[in-house]
Structure formats: C-alpha cells, structure tokens
Amino acid sequence: MMQRTAAKYFTMSEEVWARHANPWSVWSRYSCLPLLIACLWWRDWLGMAFWPVLVVLLLWVWLNPRCFSKPRDTHNWASQAVLGEQILIYQLERVPLVHYQVIKVIITVLSVSTLVCAAGLWFQEAISTSVGALGVILSKTWFLDRMVWLYQSVTSSSIEMAARQAKT
C-alpha cells in the first residue's frame, strides 16, 4: 500500500506518529505543497538557488512530524486524522468495508490531480498547475476527513465491544 511505503520512507516510528498527531504538525504541513509548487514553478528564475531551496523544503517535509510535541489530547479533527491514517496503514484488518470504496475514489482523484499539477509544472502552464494543486489539496483534505471518520468508527466499535464484554 502506498501509505505504508511513504511511512517507511519517512521513518515514521510510533514516537514520530504521536508527535505528528499534534494539530500544529498537521496544519503546518499544509504549507508544504504550495511551497514546493512555488519552488518548482520558479525554478528558472531561482537558477542555482533552486536546489538549496528544494532541499530545504524537502527537509521540512521530513522534519515536520518530528518538530512538535505529542498533543495533550486527541479530541480534535487534525489529531484524529493522523490516528485514522495509522489505522489504515498498520491495522488494515480493522478498517470497516464501508471506507474502502470512498478511499479508492479519493486516491484516484488525488492521483489525477497530482498528474495534472505535475504536467502544469513541467510545461509551466498556470491553469493546469493551479487546478491540479487545488485538486491535490482538496482530495488530501477529503482523505484526512475520511481518516477522522475511520478513526471514530473503529474506536467507537472497540468501545461498544468492550462494553458488551464487560456485561457478560
């Protein structure tokens, strides 16, 4: 699965995941795509400065989940999005079937949007780049919202099961 490969590449240990569940980490990560797009868009204008800027931005993508402390609580949208993503990556057997079809649609929209944005950047075509970037941001937000729903459905069913077992 693509998410598991990304988590491995970013060396997302349990400690890093816990820190990434901090809403500051989630919300500040939204800056990554627009900054990377700007860097790639202005690559000719930046000249040789393009490479150090690109390296700093990629370093920020990697460092971001590590820069924040663990959240005091996880009763917020951003934290639950990260917790849901962990369930999808590491506990696939706990994912209710109702989520699979929607996740496939989201990943398709995200993939097409990424290709449109990349083509726009390659040819330096503003409309394709903008439409693709908007599609990536909106589909990623939709994905995170689905992860919140996934987290809440898995944890509520676990609580209900524990309550039933306590009654017996």
Side-chain angles (χ1 to χ4, degrees):
M1 179 166 263
M2 189 170 65
Q3 290 92 349
R4 188 170 291 155
T5 303
K8 188 185 247 182
Y9 176 74
F10 284 105
T11 58
M12 297 286 285
S13 65
E14 284 186 43
E15 174 69 21
V16 174
W17 276 108
R19 290 170 165 267
H20 187 41
N22 186 317
W24 282 99
S25 176
V26 174
W27 294 117
S28 64
R29 217 163 144 110
Y30 268 86
S31 69
C32 295
L33 180 66
L35 291 172
L36 284 169
I37 288 172
C39 176
L40 293 169
W41 182 263
W42 287 311
R43 63 191 177 269
D44 293 336
W45 181 79
L46 288 168
M48 289 306 290
F50 165 77
W51 294 106
V53 170
L54 183 63
V55 168
V56 167
L57 289 172
L58 293 175
L59 188 60
W60 171 240
V61 170
W62 188 83
L63 279 174
N64 176 280
R66 295 156 176 81
C67 289
F68 301 92
S69 62
K70 294 179 187 177
R72 289 189 184 130
D73 69 76
T74 58
H75 300 295
N76 60 75
W77 185 89
S79 295
Q80 291 180 9
V82 171
L83 296 171
E85 199 170 4
Q86 281 185 277
I87 292 169
L88 181 65
I89 294 170
Y90 300 113
Q91 300 172 20
L92 198 55
E93 70 282 352
R94 294 182 68 194
V95 177
L97 290 176
V98 69
H99 295 288
Y100 281 110
Q101 286 303 108
V102 177
I103 291 169
K104 285 181 186 177
V105 171
I106 294 169
I107 289 172
T108 301
V109 172
L110 181 61
S111 299
V112 170
S113 297
T114 300
L115 289 174
V116 169
C117 185
L121 285 167
W122 180 262
F123 295 109
Q124 289 196 316
E125 202 283 312
I127 293 175
S128 298
T129 302
S130 300
V131 168
L134 182 63
V136 169
I137 291 168
L138 291 176
S139 57
K140 180 61 177 181
T141 304
W142 184 16
F143 176 79
L144 293 176
D145 192 59
R146 178 52 68 153
M147 293 302 100
V148 172
W149 188 359
L150 169 64
Y151 171 76
Q152 291 173 349
S153 66
V154 167
T155 56
S156 69
S157 66
S158 296
I159 291 169
E160 290 170 11
M161 196 163 59
R164 273 184 258 146
Q165 288 176 346
K167 286 181 181 179
T168 58

